[in-house]
Amino acid sequence: PGEQAEPDPTKKTLVVLGTGWGSVSLLKKLDTENYNVVVISPRNYFLFTPLLPSCTTGTIEHRSIMEPIRNFLRHKKAAVKYYEAEATKIDYEKRIVYINDESEIKGATTTNEVKFDMLVVGVGAENATFGIPGVREHGCFLKEVSDAQRIRKRIMDCCETATFKDQSPEEIKRLLHMVVVGGGPTGVEFAGELQDFFENDLRKWIPEIANNFHVTLVEALPQVLPMFSKNLIDYTEQTFKEETIEIRTKTMVKNVTEKYIEAEYTDAAGVKQLDKIPYGLLVWATGNALRPVVKDLMSQIPAQKDSRRGLVVNEYLVVKGAENVWAIGDCAIANYAPTAQVASQEGAFLARLFNQMAKTDEIQEELSLLSEKQAVAANKELRDGIFGDIKELQKRLRRVKQMGPFEYSHQGSLAYIGSEKAVADISWFTGNLASGGQLTYLFWRSAYLSMCFSTRNRVLVIMDWMKSYVFGRDVSRE
Ligand code: FAD
Ligand code: NAD
């Protein structure tokens, strides 16, 4: 199919926002022949987020976990339009999405409107900062490829600056203090990867920093990894201790400046104290917040006014209070955790739903044609024949319409915790299996490898693993 193919006026226009876990899983399974499909996203690739923490230290190169959306869309049966742009506003009553080209190169047109009959919102979430001053200016997030690249550069910058001629001892300590805020899986995995980088490579390549390089994980709650079972939380904390990663739980960061963070904790006497913690690198991983385009859409729909965390959807993932608008993934609230697992299952569910809806429309059209034919049929024999066909079609229609609501099937939680160890809470036939250690690490590796988007990604990731195993990670600062 040609890229420039005009939309088919007999088909509905389905607009999909985002090229993340939810939207790509939908597009993978969607029969694109049934709709005029338009995809809008500022990112022209899919990103395999579970391996993003490994990109911060160069264990894996970022391009190995990216899959160009163009490459994937060109294999679809019918042409899909893709616009590299951000949806800035959704007018659900007028059924228009306003889009903006945010890239560096601007054409004569940078803003536009896209009309839709059906809309899927899969724009994910932003990084939460809870309005804490200084986070955006001085911290690094870990959500996108650019974040991982920035962190990788900063780690090396801190190490090189710490070894600058006549650097003072306090400054060396500060520069080599790597602080991670947020003890969810993102923070834990990053802390583990960073400590590995130090143990396996940095320590050998820059021995001067060996005594001062230090990773601290700060968490407001009493424990890290709250979604894992208690024994795995203990195992993680114990492993971090052995890896010499310091965990500071019950410590809430309140302010961030260029060189230190201010964190509140309660001392042994029960008195609240404010601690100044100097840092060289600050990675901020405190979870998700709403994107402005989602917040704006929610403000237009009365049924969404009480929701704080995202678009509330029903059991068919329809945005409550809006017709013909569906939401999936991190921007949708369906009582599941904001994970890739949930997003991809939601996307696949919508693809099935849309494929069935198209079939239903097709059958209904055929039925009305047959009814007309039956009404003008010349003789009884012909009428009876058509009646039989109608009965058959009605049976098919009932079958097609019988699609149950979305049901999430939890496969388990997995996280890498450093020094070739991982933790896993797996849903097993007989119940739950909680395991941690090196075997789990092998499982973690093979599970993530099998989940990679394409064979190309899989091969690249294996090559990266081998490369860093044989030659060590690359410590050049780009
Ligand atoms: P995303 O995958 O974030 O995709 C959102 C898409 O929308 C992107 O393409 C973005 O460019 C696009 N977009 C943004 N704004 C707009 C706009 N205005 N208009 C149009 N498009 C827009 N989950 C797991 O289950 N297992 C894991 O191991 C795991 N590891 C993770 C590791 C890290 C470091 C991170 C950050 C997350 C991890 N997650 C993991 C969580 C998982 O990545 C998310 O839950 C998942 O990405 C959500 O999918 P989504 O489609 O909703 O959003
Ligand atoms: P999260 O929401 O899971 O954890 C954030 C943590 O930051 C919380 O424990 C919170 O108490 C803490 N926090 C918040 N404000 C703080 C402050 N001011 N000071 C100190 N601590 C503070 O966030 P995440 O780890 O980014 O994960 C986001 C989502 O992605 C989750 O649903 C998670 O399950 C998913 N994810 C999964 C994996 C995996 O399965 N391996 C990996 C990464 C992310």
Side-chain angles (χ1 to χ4, degrees):
E3 265 295 307
Q4 293 307 318
E6 281 306 307
D8 179 344
T10 63
K11 292 177 187 169
K12 287 182 177 161
T13 298
L14 167 63
V15 172
V16 179
L17 303 184
T19 46
W21 276 98
S23 301
V24 164
S25 149
L26 157 72
L27 291 164
K28 238 181 180 177
K29 295 233 160 72
L30 183 73
D31 184 348
T32 51
E33 281 182 318
N34 296 326
Y35 303 96
N36 296 311
V37 183
V38 181
V39 179
I40 296 162
S41 173
R43 207 173 74 185
N44 78 345
Y45 56 88
F46 166 76
L47 176 66
F48 186 76
T49 47
L51 289 177
L52 190 62
S54 303
C55 297
T56 59
T57 57
T59 313
I60 290 176
E61 294 297 338
H62 57 270
R63 287 201 178 263
S64 307
I65 57 166
M66 291 157 68
E67 183 69 23
I69 200 74
R70 298 277 186 186
N71 187 22
F72 152 68
L73 290 180
R74 80 193 165 98
H75 294 298
K76 295 303 291 183
K77 265 205 226 150
V80 174
K81 271 244 175 286
Y82 168 69
Y83 297 124
E84 191 190 75
E86 209 166 274
T88 47
K89 187 178 173 68
I90 298 162
D91 189 327
Y92 90 94
E93 274 188 339
K94 288 196 193 139
R95 298 199 178 168
I96 292 176
V97 179
Y98 297 87
I99 63 169
N100 196 3
D101 177 1
E102 303 276 349
S103 64
E104 251 172 61
I105 310 272
K106 303 270 185 248
T109 313
T110 53
T111 57
N112 219 318
E113 302 174 7
V114 179
K115 280 189 185 291
F116 64 85
D117 299 304
M118 296 155 76
L119 175 72
V120 176
V121 188
V123 298
E126 265 193 6
N127 294 291
T129 65
F130 307 102
I132 295 168
V135 176
R136 278 189 198 286
E137 294 86 324
H138 309 298
C140 297
F141 297 117
L142 181 48
K143 200 169 194 48
E144 299 291 344
V145 166
S146 54
D147 298 330
Q149 286 172 303
R150 187 162 172 236
I151 293 173
R152 190 173 175 185
K153 193 169 163 182
R154 273 198 88 130
I155 298 169
M156 289 325 302
D157 209 352
C158 285
C159 293
E160 298 296 358
T161 309
T163 56
F164 189 76
K165 191 163 185 285
D166 297 335
Q167 198 69 272
S168 73
E170 299 82 67
E171 195 60 353
I172 293 175
K173 255 196 156 52
R174 176 185 77 80
L175 287 163
L176 295 175
H177 190 202
M178 312 280 148
V179 174
V180 185
V181 181
T186 304
V188 166
E189 288 191 324
F190 170 69
E193 292 275 356
L194 182 54
Q195 188 66 27
D196 281 0
F197 185 26
F198 170 67
E199 293 297 344
N200 304 340
D201 304 294
L202 288 173
R203 183 191 267 286
K204 272 185 265 168
W205 294 57
I206 322 174
E208 307 96 288
I209 66 168
N211 290 335
N212 288 301
F213 192 94
H214 185 51
V215 181
T216 301
L217 181 68
V218 182
E219 166 58 52
L221 298 174
Q223 286 163 334
V224 296
L225 292 183
M227 66 288 292
F228 280 84
S229 11
K230 177 78 178 82
N231 56 339
L232 292 183
I233 293 173
D234 294 344
Y235 180 76
T236 305
E237 293 188 350
Q238 184 53 37
T239 306
F240 269 26
K241 215 183 239 167
E242 286 159 16
E243 289 169 2
T244 67
I245 297 173
E246 187 184 346
I247 300 186
R248 291 192 58 165
T249 49
K250 297 190 203 164
T251 307
M252 164 96 81
V253 178
K254 296 272 181 169
N255 187 32
V256 174
T257 72
E258 196 191 340
K259 296 190 175 170
Y260 60 86
I261 56 171
E262 284 180 299
E264 192 181 81
Y265 69 100
T266 310
D267 68 12
V271 181
K272 283 206 164 124
Q273 302 284 358
L274 203 61
D275 206 358
K276 266 190 190 175
I277 308 173
Y279 70 85
L281 169 78
L282 173 69
V283 171
W284 193 266
T286 62
N288 293 342
L290 284 176
R291 287 204 190 276
V293 68
V294 174
K295 213 186 271 180
D296 177 75
L297 176 61
M298 285 163 64
S299 72
Q300 297 170 45
I301 306 171
Q304 299 284 336
K305 82 172 195 313
D306 292 330
S307 174
R308 293 279 164 272
R309 293 179 299 125
L311 288 159
V312 183
V313 293
N314 72 10
E315 69 276 27
Y316 285 88
L317 309 179
V318 177
V319 171
K320 280 191 182 161
E323 241 175 80
N324 296 314
V325 183
W326 289 261
I328 48 179
D330 285 2
C331 65
I333 301 296
N335 284 333
Y336 307 112
T339 64
Q341 230 184 115
V342 171
S344 65
Q345 287 185 28
E346 288 178 341
F349 170 83
L350 272 198
R352 275 202 312 280
L353 186 76
F354 292 166
N355 292 344
Q356 298 234 4
M357 277 164 66
K359 255 191 226 151
T360 311
D361 287 351
E362 204 180 287
I363 297 173
Q364 262 161 350
E365 229 165 78
E366 254 180 81
L367 271 174
S368 63
L369 271 179
L370 278 181
S371 309
E372 278 169 28
K373 255 195 196 165
Q374 194 191 27
V376 294
N379 56 51
K380 182 171 181 308
E381 205 178 323
L382 211 56
R383 268 198 304 276
D384 284 352
I386 296 174
F387 182 72
D389 291 346
I390 290 180
K391 277 267 162 255
E392 199 49 47
L393 270 182
Q394 278 171 338
K395 233 196 260 167
R396 242 182 82 196
L397 186 64
R398 272 197 299 275
R399 262 203 316 271
V400 165
K401 276 188 165 174
Q402 260 172 15
M403 179 153 166
F406 173 70
E407 269 174 45
Y408 170 60
S409 142
H410 186 63
Q411 306 295 306
S413 307
L414 267 174
Y416 180 61
I417 57 170
S419 61
E420 305 199 338
K421 287 178 185 156
V423 286
D425 262 326
I426 308 288
S427 311
W428 215 247
F429 305 106
T430 48
N432 284 338
L433 184 77
S435 79
Q438 269 160 339
L439 256 182
T440 317
Y441 169 65
L442 289 180
F443 175 70
W444 174 86
R445 275 201 161 181
S446 47
Y448 280 7
L449 206 54
S450 72
M451 279 188 262
C452 276
F453 186 87
S454 60
T455 310
R456 188 185 71 95
N457 284 158
R458 243 165 256 138
V459 171
L460 291 176
V461 167
I462 292 175
M463 281 176 10
D464 287 346
W465 277 337
M466 287 187 347
K467 217 165 60 183
S468 38
Y469 182 75
V470 176
F471 302 112
R473 299 165 183 87
D474 185 346
V475 299
S476 13
R477 183 174 75 86
E478 296 171 76

